[in-house]
Amino acid sequence: MLEKVIPTKIYLQESELPKSWYNINAVMKDKHAPALNPITKKPVTFEELSQILCDELAKQELNMTDEYIPIPEEVQEFYKMVRPSPLTRAYFLEKVLDTPAEIYYKFEGNNTSGSHKLNSAIAQAYYAKKQGLTSLTTETGAGQWGTALSMACAFYGLDLTVYMVKSSAEQKPFRKAIIETYGGKVIPSPSNTTKVGREILEAFPNTGGSLGCAVSEATEKALNTPNCRYVLGSVQDHVILHQSIIGLETKVALDKYGIEPDMFISCVGGGSNFGGFIAPFVKDKIEGKAKYKIIGVEPASCPSMTRGKYAYDFGDTGKITPLLKMCTLGSGFMPSTNHAGGLRYHGMNPIVSKLYHDGYIDAVAVEQTKVFEAAVMFAKSEGILPAPESSHTIREVVDQALKCKETGEKKTIVFCLTGTGFFDLAAYSAYNNNTMSDYIPTDAELQKGFDTLPKID
Amino acid sequence: MLEKVIPTKIYLQESELPKSWYNINAVMKDKHAPALNPITKKPVTFEELSQILCDELAKQELNMTDEYIPIPEEVQEFYKMVRPSPLTRAYFLEKVLDTPAEIYYKFEGNNTSGSHKLNSAIAQAYYAKKQGLTSLTTETGAGQWGTALSMACAFYGLDLTVYMVKSSAEQKPFRKAIIETYGGKVIPSPSNTTKVGREILEAFPNTGGSLGCAVSEATEKALNTPNCRYVLGSVQDHVILHQSIIGLETKVALDKYGIEPDMFISCVGGGSNFGGFIAPFVKDKIEGKAKYKIIGVEPASCPSMTRGKYAYDFGDTGKITPLLKMCTLGSGFMPSTNHAGGLRYHGMNPIVSKLYHDGYIDAVAVEQTKVFEAAVMFAKSEGILPAPESSHTIREVVDQALKCKETGEKKTIVFCLTGTGFFDLAAYSAYNNNTMSDYIPTDAELQKGFDTLPKID
């Protein structure tokens, strides 16, 4: 039955919460190309993958057939503590923009990790515990994932080592503090705790590190530690599977109130929130039944979709991880140091990449100062200080809403507000003080990244 | 009709949200003594009060008769954006404590200001705007109030000057950054922008400032600025009135599910969250109908209830504000520099003070390291990093729950979790690194504060 009065914030009842995750791979007509063993160049097997990942996660990563995958009851209980997230009508933003557009946002930042990352972190820690593992390793850039996983590991009593991109660890002492409060051990990367870290330090003694390098260190550390696995917060299909909780809740809320979106918008870095947010809306898109648009928003400074190649590439600088067919700038691409927040990974999740390549979804790139302009407008009107990542989305939403103002169209826009900016106030200060700059890589600069692509295809 | 299944998080429907605030003063059999003009020592009149406060707030401050005061529709609309706050069953904390007690918490930290302070800030900014004022001044200590008011002023397009206790401004650069992001101007106090500030600086050139001193500066500044008023985030009765939204929502949720609490617990600094949280539960207590206990929790380092005097005192160091009859340590009392977070004010709201003095509510004092121990336990089990202020409450809740474990009693505990600790990670780091210390003032030290009390009674 359709509910009549739509509240400003839609909170689902507990009985309406999803009991299964949604696996986009099952409904892809053309599946994305398989991950390859970086040495043999053959599709990775479960046996190979489970040396790095937990068994259940390796299984999920390779699952191309089951549309719904049950959420373990213990994870459902945890979700009840930190979820559902509200779907909020942005009445005040609409008013400030004076737009006929109707804007809704699914806010994933109302948990201590400050972002959607907790949705997957708790699932991954659960599977690790169930497998009898005692410790995990991971990497973190902006720090959202490291915080989320540290919370999840504290909950299940697992040891955690977080390789945190060195420049980020230095700029964000409080990110480090919160990870440590939850018991995680933070190691600025590159470090001398791994072979790959020592090699990078020798070649580039003053480097601030990169996500690709931190991935290499975390992977190496996991491989050399008993009862330990590497877990990661984006890029992989199983992460998108867990993040589908975002889209599934959104769909229940939209259907309950008969809201029919014209577009879904969210930011893309490795693709985790975006893939999860759009998950239940992809099938209709593939089958040509949907009239809505799906738009991914990326930073102009790290444009893996709008300006990347669709090719096999390494996930890490050290070239240890499986090769993925994806939109990529090359594992040697280094994002500009003036770039704030996350969304700085060279590649893109294979599902999202394939959907983009096949024309089912769109992508746009936005510039940093315009992103923060939208962020501050949103903060003042909607009362939430958005994360820089989420603010990319807001920029595009604002632009779409302003287009509606010009044309008079009353479009319905639904976006995912992935997180809060509590740990990004140095970037906000830079914006406030007019010391923030933009950066768009030249074609020549991008070419240097492309030159690091392996020759597979 | 009683709902059967109690969800982990109770979110009220929009139609269930309170449309009026609750005024405790109206149901007090013995009213608290009136505020006095600091010069004439006679009860302050509306005319006098409205020179400092907005008209409507001055009226509310003096309202001793209306039990319910309507919430303006515009404020209700804003509340719909940032509220309701959830009432959450602390299943996981109960499990960790292995207690038969049932624990619920009303979480007020899920907004960008990070605390309950926004409930009153938006109301105060609304009334200021309606009165045609163009700017406001205030003080902030830990920064929660300054952030909340800056958000509220941004929403209504009002200029704001925040006198921030200097030591706090230096320790919390990101608090300053978020206030500035919302457009507020932050002045570390004491400053040379006011007479009282210059005097204090001359007498104590190296002082880190105090809340009492910042109050004096903000008040002086407001008095000397056209179309400007001073607003404050605690201690005053009208602030407690606005904060009654917390208690009212809690009551609707408890009644809806037939939950019958044995005790209500929250932290007390100036009394704003505590007074608002307990507001609708006081009447039954006064009339002897309630079986529940109401407990305020204060820091052992600033024990205005458990070790203070019940007497008339100044609200500020500069002795500009009206005299209030309250539990106080004396306006000359300076909290220890090792004290983290808020709850550092020398006095206590007159309603709360009177209720305590008359024996309707209880108070306990807790020590800092034990507070952070409870905070980390809560963060790990319930997935929310609590503010230091709120963690005082958690300490007492944990102690009560452990008592239940000893006695086997299945008590129902409801507490107010006022805010998040995102801006207090320096304090968490100190706790993690074992460099945090406790401090209990000696009787002789307290006497120095009492010596600054005016002779009125």
Side-chain angles (χ1 to χ4, degrees):
Chain A
M1 200 186 65
L2 220 58
E3 301 276 338
K4 289 268 165 57
V5 181
I6 305 180
T8 303
K9 291 169 101 168
I10 303 173
Y11 279 108
L12 301 182
Q13 303 290 311
E14 227 168 59
S15 57
E16 296 169 319
L17 298 183
K19 291 187 169 47
S20 298
W21 290 305
Y22 192 87
N23 180 14
I24 302 179
N25 277 321
V27 295
M28 300 275 280
K29 276 182 190 163
D30 293 316
K31 315 285 185 198
H32 66 70
L36 303 181
N37 179 311
I39 296 159
T40 66
K41 307 288 191 297
K42 289 190 179 153
V44 286
T45 60
F46 170 78
E47 285 66 31
E48 289 167 340
L49 211 50
S50 58
Q51 286 170 27
I52 306 178
L53 302 177
C54 304
D55 291 356
E56 197 62 35
L57 298 172
K59 261 187 230 168
Q60 292 177 351
E61 188 64 24
L62 298 171
N63 188 327
M64 295 284 151
T65 49
D66 299 319
E67 192 173 348
Y68 291 92
I69 294 179
I71 304 172
E73 266 187 39
E74 281 193 47
V75 175
Q76 286 189 47
E77 289 306 313
F78 187 91
Y79 278 174
K80 283 181 197 166
M81 179 170 66
V82 296
R83 307 192 63 80
S85 67
L87 182 71
T88 304
R89 173 78 180 269
Y91 280 115
F92 293 111
L93 179 65
E94 290 172 20
K95 203 171 153 192
V96 166
L97 296 173
D98 189 24
T99 175
E102 286 187 8
I103 306 172
Y104 295 85
Y105 56 96
K106 181 77 170 163
F107 180 40
E108 291 290 316
N110 265 354
N111 67 70
T112 281
S113 82
S115 83
H116 65 291
K117 296 284 183 184
L118 192 57
N119 298 331
S120 183
I122 196 64
Q124 298 199 40
Y126 166 79
Y127 289 125
K129 184 74 181 179
K130 204 178 145 205
Q131 192 177 326
L133 302 179
T134 50
S135 68
L136 295 173
T137 70
T138 198
E139 81 291 335
T140 202
Q144 290 182 339
W145 170 246
T147 308
L149 191 64
S150 193
M151 287 177 67
C153 285
F155 194 76
Y156 283 117
L158 294 161
D159 285 339
L160 172 68
T161 304
V162 180
Y163 286 89
M164 185 166 187
V165 177
K166 192 193 264 174
S167 59
S168 182
E170 284 165 0
Q171 283 161 24
K172 298 183 166 188
F174 293 157
R175 265 293 179 204
K176 191 167 168 283
I178 195 167
I179 295 171
E180 288 171 345
T181 297
Y182 278 97
K185 185 178 173 189
V186 177
I187 300 180
S189 166
S191 75
N192 60 12
T193 66
T194 63
K195 185 166 166 286
V196 64
R198 288 188 293 272
E199 282 170 8
I200 293 172
L201 277 176
E202 204 170 319
F204 310 97
N206 298 316
T207 180
S210 73
L211 214 46
C213 161
V215 173
S216 297
E217 287 206 85
T219 311
E220 183 187 322
K221 176 78 177 174
L223 287 168
N224 296 326
T225 306
N227 257 329
C228 179
R229 289 293 183 284
Y230 167 61
V231 297
L232 67 179
S234 194
V235 185
Q236 300 277 302
D237 290 1
H238 66 271
V239 179
I240 290 201
L241 174 74
H242 307 151
Q243 294 297 352
S244 71
I245 189 81
I246 305 172
L248 290 163
E249 280 185 10
T250 302
K251 191 168 190 316
V252 174
L254 294 174
D255 290 350
K256 182 171 176 177
Y257 291 98
I259 302 163
E260 294 184 4
D262 294 297
M263 53 186 86
F264 293 92
I265 304 178
S266 200
C267 60
V268 279
S272 78
N273 95 79
F274 181 78
F277 176 54
I278 69 170
F281 307 106
V282 166
K283 190 178 179 185
D284 278 1
K285 202 76 196 164
I286 292 175
E287 293 178 354
K289 292 179 193 162
K291 54 168 200 168
Y292 45 75
K293 270 190 155 191
I294 296 175
I295 305 172
V297 192
E298 61 185 14
S301 61
C302 190
S304 61
M305 289 168 87
T306 54
R307 296 177 69 200
K309 305 268 189 211
Y310 184 54
Y312 268 109
D313 194 9
F314 294 100
D316 64 328
T317 314
K319 306 182 177 181
I320 303 175
T321 61
L323 290 158
L324 301 176
K325 180 85 178 268
M326 58 183 174
C327 296
T328 180
L329 299 165
S331 65
F333 175 82
M334 282 281 185
S336 162
T337 51
N338 79 340
H339 174 80
L343 311 183
R344 54 170 75 231
Y345 187 65
H346 67 275
M348 177 59 57
N349 164 268
I351 299 172
V352 174
S353 296
K354 175 75 173 157
L355 289 171
Y356 179 65
H357 182 255
D358 291 352
Y360 295 122
I361 62 177
D362 297 312
V364 295
V366 292
E367 286 178 63
Q368 182 156 278
T369 53
K370 300 285 277 176
V371 163
F372 274 81
E373 181 192 61
V376 171
M377 180 195 293
F378 185 83
K380 288 184 177 176
S381 56
E382 288 292 317
I384 295 172
L385 187 82
E389 297 82 2
S390 326
S391 304
H392 287 72
T393 314
I394 297 171
R395 176 73 261 169
E396 176 63 13
V397 168
V398 166
D399 289 345
Q400 292 285 354
L402 291 177
K403 255 186 232 168
C404 288
K405 187 181 175 182
E406 268 179 37
T407 62
E409 286 176 291
K410 192 182 163 176
K411 292 202 171 160
T412 298
I413 303 170
V414 181
F415 75 92
C416 181
L417 185 71
T418 54
T420 65
F422 287 121
F423 291 95
D424 302 281
L425 281 157
Y428 274 97
S429 282
Y431 176 75
N432 295 339
N433 303 330
N434 287 316
T435 58
M436 176 172 276
S437 57
D438 288 321
Y439 170 72
I440 302 180
T442 63
D443 287 344
E445 282 167 324
L446 287 187
Q447 190 55 52
K448 282 185 199 167
F450 296 144
D451 289 344
T452 65
L453 286 170
K455 295 191 173 47
I456 306 284
D457 289 340
Chain B
M1 199 185 68
L2 221 59
E3 301 276 338
K4 289 269 165 56
V5 181
I6 305 179
T8 303
K9 291 168 100 167
I10 304 173
Y11 278 109
L12 300 182
Q13 303 290 309
E14 227 168 61
S15 56
E16 296 170 319
L17 298 183
K19 291 186 169 48
S20 298
W21 290 304
Y22 191 88
N23 180 13
I24 303 179
N25 277 319
V27 295
M28 299 274 282
K29 276 184 192 162
D30 294 315
K31 314 283 185 199
H32 67 69
L36 303 182
N37 179 311
I39 296 159
T40 66
K41 308 287 192 298
K42 288 189 178 152
V44 287
T45 62
F46 169 77
E47 286 67 31
E48 290 167 341
L49 211 50
S50 59
Q51 286 170 28
I52 308 178
L53 303 176
C54 303
D55 291 355
E56 197 62 32
L57 299 173
K59 261 188 232 169
Q60 291 177 352
E61 187 64 24
L62 298 171
N63 189 327
M64 296 282 149
T65 49
D66 298 320
E67 191 173 349
Y68 291 93
I69 294 180
I71 304 172
E73 266 188 37
E74 282 193 46
V75 175
Q76 286 188 47
E77 289 306 314
F78 187 92
Y79 279 174
K80 282 180 195 165
M81 180 170 66
V82 296
R83 306 191 63 80
S85 68
L87 182 70
T88 304
R89 173 77 182 268
Y91 279 117
F92 293 112
L93 179 65
E94 290 171 20
K95 201 171 153 190
V96 166
L97 295 173
D98 188 22
T99 176
E102 285 188 7
I103 305 172
Y104 295 85
Y105 57 96
K106 181 77 171 163
F107 179 40
E108 291 290 315
N110 266 354
N111 67 71
T112 281
S113 82
S115 82
H116 66 292
K117 296 284 182 184
L118 192 58
N119 298 330
S120 184
I122 195 64
Q124 298 199 40
Y126 166 78
Y127 288 125
K129 184 74 180 177
K130 204 179 147 208
Q131 192 178 326
L133 302 179
T134 50
S135 68
L136 295 174
T137 70
T138 198
E139 82 291 334
T140 201
Q144 290 182 338
W145 170 246
T147 309
L149 191 64
S150 192
M151 288 177 67
C153 285
F155 194 76
Y156 283 117
L158 294 162
D159 286 339
L160 173 67
T161 304
V162 180
Y163 287 90
M164 187 166 184
V165 177
K166 192 192 265 173
S167 59
S168 182
E170 286 166 358
Q171 283 161 21
K172 298 184 165 187
F174 293 157
R175 266 289 179 205
K176 188 165 171 282
I178 194 167
I179 294 171
E180 287 171 347
T181 297
Y182 278 97
K185 186 178 171 190
V186 175
I187 300 180
S189 167
S191 75
N192 59 13
T193 66
T194 63
K195 185 168 165 287
V196 63
R198 288 188 293 271
E199 283 170 7
I200 293 171
L201 278 175
E202 205 172 317
F204 310 97
N206 298 316
T207 179
S210 73
L211 213 47
C213 161
V215 173
S216 297
E217 289 206 86
T219 311
E220 183 186 323
K221 176 80 175 174
L223 286 168
N224 296 326
T225 307
N227 257 328
C228 179
R229 290 292 183 284
Y230 167 61
V231 297
L232 65 179
S234 193
V235 185
Q236 301 277 301
D237 290 1
H238 65 271
V239 180
I240 289 200
L241 175 73
H242 307 149
Q243 294 297 354
S244 70
I245 189 80
I246 305 172
L248 290 163
E249 280 185 12
T250 303
K251 190 167 190 320
V252 174
L254 294 175
D255 290 350
K256 184 172 175 178
Y257 291 98
I259 302 162
E260 294 184 4
D262 294 294
M263 53 186 89
F264 293 93
I265 305 178
S266 199
C267 60
V268 279
S272 78
N273 96 78
F274 180 78
F277 176 54
I278 69 169
F281 306 106
V282 165
K283 192 179 178 183
D284 279 359
K285 201 75 196 164
I286 291 175
E287 293 179 354
K289 293 179 190 161
K291 53 168 201 168
Y292 45 74
K293 271 192 155 188
I294 296 176
I295 305 172
V297 191
E298 61 185 12
S301 61
C302 191
S304 61
M305 289 168 86
T306 52
R307 295 177 68 198
K309 305 269 189 212
Y310 184 53
Y312 268 110
D313 194 10
F314 294 100
D316 63 327
T317 313
K319 305 183 178 180
I320 303 176
T321 60
L323 291 159
L324 302 176
K325 180 86 177 267
M326 58 185 176
C327 297
T328 181
L329 299 166
S331 66
F333 176 82
M334 283 279 186
S336 163
T337 51
N338 79 341
H339 175 80
L343 311 184
R344 52 171 76 233
Y345 186 63
H346 67 275
M348 176 58 57
N349 165 267
I351 299 173
V352 174
S353 295
K354 175 75 173 154
L355 288 172
Y356 179 64
H357 182 255
D358 291 352
Y360 295 122
I361 61 177
D362 298 311
V364 295
V366 292
E367 287 179 63
Q368 180 155 280
T369 51
K370 299 285 277 178
V371 162
F372 275 80
E373 180 192 63
V376 172
M377 181 195 290
F378 186 82
K380 289 184 176 176
S381 55
E382 289 292 315
I384 296 173
L385 187 81
E389 297 82 2
S390 326
S391 305
H392 287 72
T393 314
I394 297 170
R395 176 74 260 168
E396 176 63 13
V397 168
V398 166
D399 288 345
Q400 292 285 354
L402 291 177
K403 256 187 233 169
C404 288
K405 187 181 174 183
E406 268 178 38
T407 62
E409 285 176 292
K410 191 181 165 179
K411 293 204 172 160
T412 299
I413 302 170
V414 181
F415 74 94
C416 181
L417 186 71
T418 55
T420 65
F422 286 121
F423 291 95
D424 303 282
L425 281 158
Y428 273 98
S429 282
Y431 176 74
N432 295 338
N433 303 329
N434 286 316
T435 58
M436 176 171 277
S437 56
D438 289 319
Y439 169 72
I440 301 180
T442 62
D443 288 342
E445 282 167 325
L446 288 187
Q447 190 54 49
K448 283 185 197 167
F450 297 144
D451 289 344
T452 66
L453 285 170
K455 294 193 172 46
I456 306 283
D457 288 339

